[in-house]
């Protein structure tokens, strides 16, 4: 089964960012979240999309 949603700290670890930066990404809307009860989850697609945007931005600079 494919993982489609992650707890925030797992998403941050996958991106290699700290908790503060991770929540900045959530609060800015760069990472999409949703709730299951009281638990917040980050969509795996939004993590992939964020990485793709960063790669595109790096290519534009180069």
């Amino acid at each position: 089964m494919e993982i489609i949603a992650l707890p925030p700290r797992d998403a941050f670890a996958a991106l290699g960012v700290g908790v503060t930066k991770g929540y900045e990404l959530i609060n800015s809307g760069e990472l999409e979240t949703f709730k299951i009860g009281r638990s917040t989850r980050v969509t795996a697609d939004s993590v992939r999309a964020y990485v793709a945007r960063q790669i595109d931005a790096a290519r534009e600079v180069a």
Side-chain angles (χ1 to χ4, degrees), residues 4-37:
I4 59 172
L6 303 158
R9 288 179 187 255
D10 290 352
F12 306 158
L15 290 170
V17 300
V19 174
T20 302
K21 180 62 177 179
Y23 280 109
E24 286 176 9
L25 294 172
I26 288 173
N27 291 332
S28 70
E30 294 188 75
L31 290 179
E32 183 180 5
T33 63
F34 65 96
K35 293 277 196 176
I36 300 175

Side-chain angles (χ1 to χ4, degrees), residues 48-62:
R48 289 184 191 100
Y50 176 77
V51 170
R53 287 191 305 273
Q54 297 308 304
I55 290 170
D56 290 344
R59 287 181 180 153
E60 289 177 10
V61 173

